[in-house]
Amino acid sequence: MKASGLTDTGQFREKNQDSFSIDLKNKLFIVADGMGGHFGGEIASGTTVTEINNYWQKYYSGKKQPDYHIRKVIHKVNKQIFNQHKNMGTTLELLAVVKNKGWFGHIGDSRIYLLRQKILELITNDHTKVKELIDAGELDMESARHYPFQHAITRALGIEAATVPDVFSRVLEPEDIIIMCSDGLTGDMAKKIVSDEEITDIILSSDDLNCACEKLIEKANEAGGPDNITVVIVKIEEGDLS
């Protein structure tokens, strides 16, 4: 298994409130995009990454299914941020590779993509008001581009006393590439920053994963860099799925 990650403040933010981690030993990967207050987002995202890694190293043994641990640690971190860090929150993208499956935890508007056989698939669902309206048939794609509350997130860690993450698994194949990113890379319904086609082309044409991360962040900054940008790329190899 190979993995690389990179984060950048972007062109307009004073602080970088994103956090990420790569743990190849435990096959655990995290991206968190913080929000709230001058340093609030940085604290929320950093706490999330630290606490999930600590939990996984201490409690994950394979005796229970990964989804049990993903839900439990998300509940634990959400409660901690809500009780200790008022008016702070963070999105979360989590990947745990166990045997032949990727187990995912998702909350917020950061994203996870799967690149398989040169086809890029978005495998998470944005937890935003505009996406809910689209799914309910109350907005079409054109109207969504002009919706006034593009950044209204409906779910995040630390905002409410309880939250419900999306937890799911996918069977993985050798050569699969998983891209985890904050919305500083992809943008929203109103404005794309780096398109799906550009993401695919950059990854497939890059010499290695670190180069791909650098090029993706460079592309986002060329497109204006309106937000913090974080990318983690994981490539599955033959021996990783046993």
Side-chain angles (χ1 to χ4, degrees):
M1 184 179 300
K2 296 178 181 177
S4 185
L6 197 61
T7 188
D8 188 83
T9 304
Q11 301 298 303
F12 288 92
R13 303 287 187 179
E14 293 183 3
K15 299 287 183 180
N16 191 342
Q17 297 189 329
D18 290 358
S19 299
F20 76 92
S21 71
I22 293 172
D23 182 350
L24 285 170
K25 179 181 178 181
N26 291 296
K27 300 180 181 180
L28 181 68
F29 310 90
I30 306 167
V31 169
D33 179 355
M35 65 196 83
H38 188 56
F39 288 105
E42 183 179 347
I43 292 171
S45 67
T47 296
T48 296
V49 168
T50 298
E51 292 300 319
I52 291 175
N53 278 304
N54 288 343
Y55 174 95
W56 214 258
Q57 292 169 17
K58 186 174 182 180
Y59 295 109
Y60 182 74
S61 64
K63 293 180 179 179
K64 292 187 177 180
Q65 286 283 76
D67 60 331
Y68 166 84
H69 290 285
I70 291 171
R71 294 181 196 280
K72 187 168 183 179
V73 71
I74 288 175
H75 172 76
K76 177 180 181 294
V77 173
N78 182 75
K79 184 177 180 182
Q80 179 176 339
I81 296 172
F82 181 78
N83 289 336
Q84 297 180 8
H85 307 294
K86 295 299 182 183
N87 302 316
M88 300 180 189
T90 183
T91 69
L92 171 65
E93 306 306 312
L94 181 155
L95 163 64
V97 178
V98 181
K99 295 183 179 178
N100 69 330
K101 287 185 177 180
W103 292 85
F104 301 92
H106 160 72
I107 187 161
D109 63 348
S110 296
R111 290 180 171 181
I112 303 176
Y113 292 86
L114 173 64
L115 180 58
R116 175 179 291 170
Q117 297 179 359
K118 300 183 180 181
I119 297 173
L120 188 71
E121 177 190 1
L122 175 62
I123 62 173
T124 52
N125 183 50
D126 293 353
H127 295 150
T128 61
K129 185 62 177 177
V130 67
K131 186 61 167 59
E132 286 186 356
L133 292 172
I134 290 171
D135 291 344
E138 297 180 30
L139 279 180
D140 57 27
M141 292 301 294
E142 183 58 34
S143 300
R145 292 186 179 92
H146 305 287
Y147 185 70
F149 305 109
Q150 289 287 333
H151 301 288
I153 295 177
T154 55
R155 286 189 246 172
L157 288 180
I159 302 301
E160 297 180 343
T163 192
V164 180
D166 293 344
V167 180
F168 60 97
S169 66
R170 293 285 295 263
V171 174
L172 299 176
E173 300 177 1
E175 303 303 315
D176 279 353
I177 297 175
I178 299 151
I179 304 101
M180 309 166 68
C181 61
S182 61
D183 67 332
L185 179 73
T186 56
D188 52 35
M189 299 300 297
K191 178 177 171 53
K192 285 279 188 181
I193 299 175
V194 181
S195 70
D196 290 1
E197 293 78 14
E198 289 170 327
I199 292 172
T200 303
D201 290 344
I202 286 171
I203 292 174
L204 293 178
S205 64
S206 297
D207 294 333
D208 54 43
L209 299 186
N210 187 62
C211 179
C213 289
E214 291 176 349
K215 287 181 178 179
L216 286 169
I217 287 180
E218 181 181 350
K219 192 70 174 179
N221 278 319
E222 287 175 357
D227 202 350
N228 303 149
I229 313 154
T230 299
V231 185
V232 168
I233 305 176
V234 182
K235 185 172 183 178
I236 305 300
E237 299 178 309
E238 187 72 46
D240 299 326
L241 303 178
S242 57

